[in-house]
Amino acid sequence: TDHTYTSVVEVRADHVRAILDGKMLAEWKTDYSDMDLGASWRLRDDKLLGIGSYNTQTTFHSAEVTEIDGNGTR
């Protein structure tokens, strides 16, 4: 509580990486066939991008999506 964090989630063709305050916390090598959202996290349209938190009050001061290379695809 009462602390501001900077979080970066990198989504690439073959992995996802989670970075918190400049420190890599996790990296998952994947082709995305092994990932799924639970029903309670699904948005009304699966083409939408969402952000959330679990089991705690959270204030998002800003959120940015940066395309690194090429057009984003599903």
Side-chain angles (χ1 to χ4, degrees):
T1 59
D2 298 325
H3 185 85
T4 300
Y5 297 93
T6 298
S7 172
V8 175
V9 179
E10 297 177 351
V11 180
R12 302 293 189 267
D14 63 348
H15 70 276
V16 176
R17 186 178 294 147
I19 301 165
L20 185 66
D21 289 339
K23 179 180 176 185
M24 187 171 70
L25 296 181
E27 182 173 32
W28 185 262
K29 303 283 186 185
T30 182
D31 65 0
Y32 298 95
S33 65
D34 57 347
M35 295 183 151
D36 190 30
L37 286 174
S40 62
W41 287 96
R42 292 193 190 279
L43 300 175
R44 67 182 177 274
D45 181 338
D46 65 1
K47 293 179 184 174
L48 296 175
L49 179 64
I51 187 170
S53 66
Y54 178 74
N55 205 27
T56 187
Q57 287 187 348
T58 304
T59 301
F60 295 97
H61 295 279
S62 69
E64 298 177 25
V65 176
T66 304
E67 185 176 328
I68 301 299
D69 186 28
N71 293 325
T73 61
R74 275 196 67 170

